[in-house]
């Protein structure tokens, strides 16, 4: 069966109305949970083959998210999908107003490779929970995880409801020519633009989960030990191949030497060595070569070593970095951490404002004025004060970018809404209506209308 036929079959299946049934949705969500639990080892093996990711990291940063999502939707599906009553305004009396969430139809989810399970399955689960049919196209770059997702899903789900389509750029290009009711894309800003253009041809709405350079600011009023520990963890998790990892640090001059020492201490303590359980390798040669070029030998404060045969790059801190350096011109997406120093807090916020809006931003401080300025002045997808990355772990917070870092958001109820249409219904009584809106008009009617509206 070719993909065109599978999409047509999904569109036909959607029209049978079966996916609107909550029991149907719950049955398949439970089935997916059971398949994941039964095949946990296969999932660990595949991701380990792709980029050496440990069981521990795979569970905490991938499978736990996916399982929590299923649990959340199973628990909240009734309330999320229930019509909501709203007040009816005076000019629509006598009437009742309500909002009915409805699924969109057949949706396409395109995943990224860096958290291949979470970034493919989480949006897919939200799409199914909201009552859609779904085509999932995981990233071909993490080939083994793509294959295992395709095997487990395509062997257990009817293709007219859910289907995993394997392939690279040529297959994605082919897919993007077809008409979907929503496209949910996770990946680079460059490919996001390609997806957006293709979607526009069919007026298909999109969610674009993109990237960018996410700053972390550390001021002299921070708890430096806590800041260093959390930043080292968040930056070198997945060898820096995390869309919301702190891309670079802005450190107040007065504490910067002390802070660099603390970063060094935690990198050593966490034992991020080649081949260790704690440390992931770079996904492929292309990214490895790109990253190596960003390491300015003159500016290495810590690390800088790499092993070509194992695609391993040591956690690397660059100091004396300026905004003009190569490492500051693009999203790093690897284990290189440039540090820029500053002397005044407000000008540093203005410099961030002069760049594209990042996916995440982080501030380490106990100073409430700095917290207030950070939250109100900067625009970014989401972030933390006194931590990094962890905002993603709260399903009550929407996750998504703004400006160049993305369009739309998901997680928890926001994921359900991303794949739903909010249909408005006004139901009117057939009695008790004044004649005032109907012609023939008169000055008297107009003066009443003015009072009423
Ligand atoms: P990518 O844009 O190269 O690829 C993403 C997907 O697009 C893949 O499935 C791929 O097959 C497809 N694709 C690639 N080139 C294409 C083309 N020319 N036409 C059509 N489809 C194409 O991104 P990536 O390398 O997988 O991920 C890295 C980027 O993704 C980083 O910028 C990172 O910040 C971002 N990212 C964002 C999030 C988020 O949630 N916001 C999460 C992870 C990664």
């Amino acid at each position: 069966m070719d993909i065109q036929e599978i999409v047509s079959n999904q569109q036909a299946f959607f029209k049978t109305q079966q996916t609107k049934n909550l029991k149907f949705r719950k049955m398949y969500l439970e089935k997916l949970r059971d398949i994941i639990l039964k095949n946990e080892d296969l999932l660990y093996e595949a991701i380990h083959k792709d980029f050496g990711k440990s069981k521990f990291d795979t569970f905490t940063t991938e499978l736990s998210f996916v399982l929590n999502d299923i649990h959340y939707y199973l628990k909240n599906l009734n309330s999320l999908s229930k019509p909501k009553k709203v007040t009816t305004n005076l000019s629509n009396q006598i009437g009742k107003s309500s909002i009915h969430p409805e699924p969109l139809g057949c949706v396409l989810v395109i995943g990224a490779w860096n958290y291949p399970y979470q970034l493919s399955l989480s949006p897919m689960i939200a799409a199914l929970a909201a009552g859609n049919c779904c085509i999932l196209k995981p990233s071909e770059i993490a080939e083994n995880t793509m294959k295992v997702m395709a095997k487990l899903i395509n062997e257990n789900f009817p293709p007219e409801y859910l289907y995993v389509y394997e392939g690279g750029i040529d297959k994605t290009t082919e897919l993007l020519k077809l008409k979907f009711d929503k496209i949910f894309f996770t990946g680079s800003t460059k490919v996001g633009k390609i997806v957006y253009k293709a979607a526009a041809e069919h007026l298909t709405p999109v969610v674009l989960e993109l990237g960018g350079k996410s700053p972390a600011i550390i001021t002299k009023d921070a708890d430096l030990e806590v800041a260093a520990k959390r930043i080292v963890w968040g930056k070198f998790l997945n060898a820096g191949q995390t869309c919301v990892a702190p891309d670079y640090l802005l450190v107040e001059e007065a504490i910067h030497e002390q802070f660099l020492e603390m970063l060094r201490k935690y990198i050593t303590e966490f034992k991020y060595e080649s081949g260790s359980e704690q440390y992931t390798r770079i996904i492929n040669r292309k990214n490895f070569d790109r990253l190596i070029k960003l390491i300015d030998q003159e500016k290495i404060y810590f690390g800088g070593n790499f092993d070509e045969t194992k695609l391993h790059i040591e956690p690397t801190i660059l100091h004396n970095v300026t905004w003009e350096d190569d490492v500051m011109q693009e999203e790093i997406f690897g284990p290189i951490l440039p540090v820029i120093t500053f002397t005044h807090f407000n000008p540093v916020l203005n410099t961030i404002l002069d760049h594209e809006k990042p996916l995440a931003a982080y501030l380490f401080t106990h100073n409430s004025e700095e917290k207030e300025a950070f939250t109100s002045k900067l625009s970014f997808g989401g972030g933390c004060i006194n931590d990094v990355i962890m905002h993603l772990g709260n399903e009550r917070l929407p996750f998504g970018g703004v400006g160049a870092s993305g369009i739309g958001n998901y997680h928890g109820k926001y994921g359900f809404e991303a794949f739903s249409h909010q249909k408005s219904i006004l139901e009117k009584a057939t009695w008790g209506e004044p004649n005032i809106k109907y012609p023939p008009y008169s000055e008297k009617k107009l003066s009443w209308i003015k009072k009423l509206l």
Side-chain angles (χ1 to χ4, degrees), residues 64-82:
S64 70
F65 274 80
V66 171
L67 292 168
N68 273 334
D69 282 346
I70 296 176
H71 177 74
Y72 172 84
Y73 290 121
L74 284 172
K75 201 168 137 211
N76 294 289
L77 203 52
N78 290 6
S79 62
L80 287 168
S81 47
K82 211 159 97 189

Side-chain angles (χ1 to χ4, degrees), residues 110-114 119 137-140 168-169 172-173 176 185-188 191 194 209-212 243 331 333 359 399:
I110 304 178
W113 57 264
N114 57 326
L119 298 176
K137 211 299 290 176
S139 173
E140 71 285 5
I169 297 176
T172 318
T173 309
L176 286 172
F185 169 81
T186 303
S188 61
V191 181
I194 297 173
E209 293 282 339
L210 311 176
C243 55
E331 181 184 356
F333 219 55
L359 181 59
F399 172 55

Side-chain angles (χ1 to χ4, degrees), residues 190-204:
K190 187 176 136 234
V191 181
K193 287 181 188 172
I194 297 173
V195 171
Y196 204 8
K197 272 190 197 148
E201 278 300 311
H202 298 290
L203 273 187
T204 300

Side-chain angles (χ1 to χ4, degrees), residues 26-39:
K26 286 180 188 172
M27 176 187 82
Y28 278 113
L29 287 175
E30 281 167 1
K31 185 168 185 176
L32 182 65
R33 177 197 59 205
D34 296 345
I35 291 167
I36 292 170
L37 291 173
K38 205 171 136 206
N39 293 282

Side-chain angles (χ1 to χ4, degrees), residues 102-144:
E102 65 171 18
L104 298 169
C106 168
V107 303
L108 169 64
V109 171
I110 304 178
W113 57 264
N114 57 326
Y115 289 86
Y117 298 133
Q118 192 209 134
L119 298 176
S120 297
L121 300 179
S122 280
M124 181 196 90
I125 288 163
L128 299 183
N132 299 280
C133 298
C134 180
I135 301 283
L136 167 64
K137 211 299 290 176
S139 173
E140 71 285 5
I141 292 177
E143 197 188 350
N144 292 291

